[in-house]
Amino acid sequence: MTKISERSFETIENPASSPLKVPDQFGASVEKGKKVTEAFLKFASGAEATQKMLPPILETTSLFGNELWGKTIAALQADAEASFSHLQALLGANSPSQILELQSTFLSKRVETSLQHAKEVRVLSSRAVEEISKPVKDAFDKVLTDLKAT
């Protein structure tokens, strides 16, 4: 037979579940709830700010994309016209030296035009990056300001 424990029933006191500590625990829970609510409100505010920031970014990106596309099309058209004119000039050449001169002139003009187009694209791209990043930078600055204030 098994021996029944000689231990008598005793009250085991758990300090965490003491009736005297219930108000303190309730107050701590309320405080945690307030902190969670504040965090959620900050998150919701940040999400709303991000949502407001996106349309100007998309609009600016579209405008600069269209401008860049227009410049590229114009450059391709000018290149095609210059190539066609060069071909006509080559067909009318009378000597090999004239062909070499036409070719040399054409290539130097094409390089010069290509460099000019690359410069325009670089300037346009720099402006686009600056304009597109402005709302993001403003929002980031606002978040940093809010964090410093807290």
Side-chain angles (χ1 to χ4, degrees):
M1 282 198 151
T2 346
K3 185 177 178 184
I4 298 178
S5 172
E6 294 180 16
R7 228 172 136 192
S8 64
F9 290 102
E10 29 183 277
T11 307
I12 299 174
E13 219 173 287
N14 182 357
S17 66
S18 170
L20 298 175
K21 301 217 178 206
V22 169
D24 293 338
Q25 290 173 350
F26 183 73
S29 295
V30 169
E31 188 62 33
K32 285 180 184 178
K34 286 180 183 177
K35 288 180 181 178
V36 168
T37 303
E38 287 175 11
F40 176 75
L41 290 175
K42 284 182 182 179
F43 175 77
S45 174
E48 185 179 336
T50 302
Q51 187 178 12
K52 287 179 182 177
M53 181 178 53
L54 285 177
I57 289 174
L58 294 175
E59 183 179 331
T60 304
T61 304
S62 176
L63 290 174
F64 278 106
N66 289 340
E67 189 174 346
L68 183 61
W69 183 247
K71 286 188 181 291
T72 302
I73 294 295
L76 289 173
Q77 183 178 6
D79 188 43
E81 289 172 359
S83 295
F84 185 69
S85 296
H86 175 63
L87 182 60
Q88 285 179 330
L90 285 177
L91 290 175
N94 296 330
S95 67
S97 63
Q98 191 178 12
I99 290 173
L100 286 176
E101 183 182 335
L102 287 170
Q103 192 69 11
S104 173
T105 305
F106 173 75
L107 288 176
S108 68
K109 284 183 181 178
R110 292 291 13 128
V111 168
E112 188 178 309
T113 303
S114 295
L115 289 174
Q116 181 63 32
H117 178 66
K119 184 192 242 183
E120 289 174 2
V121 167
R122 182 182 54 82
V123 167
L124 181 63
S125 297
S126 295
R127 264 188 31 227
V129 167
E130 186 179 312
E131 289 292 321
I132 290 168
S133 65
K134 190 186 294 184
V136 176
K137 182 183 177 292
D138 292 345
F140 186 72
D141 289 344
K142 183 181 181 299
V143 167
L144 286 179
T145 305
D146 290 348
L147 286 176
K148 286 179 183 177
T150 307

